[in-house]
Amino acid sequence: FLSFIGYKKILLLKKKNNKARRNILIANSGDKFWNENQMHFYATEIFYSFFKCYSSGDFTSLKPNMTENLFEKYQNEIDKNKIVGIRFEFNFFKFKFKKIVLARDCANDNYDEFQMYYEGIYTMTETKKTENESYKKEKAIPFKFIFVFNRKGNKWKLLNIEDDIAKRDLEIL
């Protein structure tokens, strides 16, 4: 039964990816900014940069590629972790899926959007160092993320990261 559910999810992801690819092709005919290969490469670059910044404890290098609200959200989260002496480091990403699942071209370019779905596993090291406590834990963690990108002028900006994703959410896209 579980393999049947997994198979249905794979079919759903392929369907979403095919629809997104068609939308990108249509958008690209009138606006060369919609380039699937460049979008895929950019989104993956931002994905890795995000986790590198989270590991280093500083999102400054990623700030030009994300909205101000998202930058503040994650920088504040990291700053809170620093106060309590916790640091997270992310390593070794193995992807099961890495696909564009939504592409929305709007009349006003500032509303253009695409969403990249990532699923796989990574290793996370959690380190805590305070006067009273010290530990280091490493574990492999499965992940599912949707990185949402919004067009701002001639640049895609990371608008949101969704990490609480159910099959139902993919059906809604």
Side-chain angles (χ1 to χ4, degrees), residues 7 12 34 38 41 51 54 58 69 71-72 75-76 89 107 121 131 143 159 161-163:
Y7 180 72
L12 177 63
W34 287 91
Q38 289 176 355
F41 179 80
F51 285 99
Y54 207 105
D58 185 8
N69 290 342
F71 170 79
E72 288 175 11
Q75 192 60 54
N76 288 339
E89 191 174 333
I121 192 165
E131 290 178 15
F143 66 83
L159 177 67
I161 299 171
E162 298 172 16
D163 61 357

Side-chain angles (χ1 to χ4, degrees), residues 73-84:
K73 174 185 175 180
Y74 285 104
Q75 192 60 54
N76 288 339
E77 188 175 304
I78 292 223
D79 292 343
K80 287 177 187 175
N81 288 342
K82 285 179 184 176
I83 291 169
V84 295

Side-chain angles (χ1 to χ4, degrees), residues 61-153:
S61 65
L62 195 56
K63 188 175 182 177
N65 298 306
M66 58 194 321
T67 62
E68 189 65 32
N69 290 342
L70 197 63
F71 170 79
E72 288 175 11
K73 174 185 175 180
Y74 285 104
Q75 192 60 54
N76 288 339
E77 188 175 304
I78 292 223
D79 292 343
K80 287 177 187 175
N81 288 342
K82 285 179 184 176
I83 291 169
V84 295
I86 295 177
R87 181 171 174 256
F88 295 97
E89 191 174 333
F90 300 89
N91 299 299
F92 184 71
F93 292 85
K94 181 167 173 72
F95 293 101
K96 186 175 178 181
F97 296 106
K98 186 169 55 165
K99 304 232 180 251
I100 295 174
V101 292
L102 183 128
R104 188 175 302 142
D105 182 26
C106 298
N108 181 340
D109 287 345
N110 286 325
Y111 294 105
D112 288 356
E113 177 183 309
F114 81 92
Q115 298 182 8
M116 186 84 161
Y117 176 81
Y118 300 95
E119 183 176 342
I121 192 165
Y122 58 68
T123 58
M124 180 188 76
T125 305
E126 178 183 348
T127 308
K128 183 168 186 174
K129 288 184 183 177
T130 64
E131 290 178 15
N132 303 328
E133 188 179 13
S134 181
Y135 65 78
K136 186 173 187 173
K137 300 177 192 174
E138 184 173 288
K139 53 188 164 186
I141 299 175
F143 66 83
K144 293 178 187 174
F145 296 107
I146 293 179
F147 276 45
V148 180
F149 293 89
N150 179 249
R151 184 172 174 177
K152 295 294 179 202

Side-chain angles (χ1 to χ4, degrees), residues 3-15:
S3 63
F4 178 70
I5 291 172
Y7 180 72
K8 282 183 72 173
K9 184 176 80 172
I10 291 169
L11 290 178
L12 177 63
L13 285 169
K14 285 185 178 186
K15 180 180 174 185

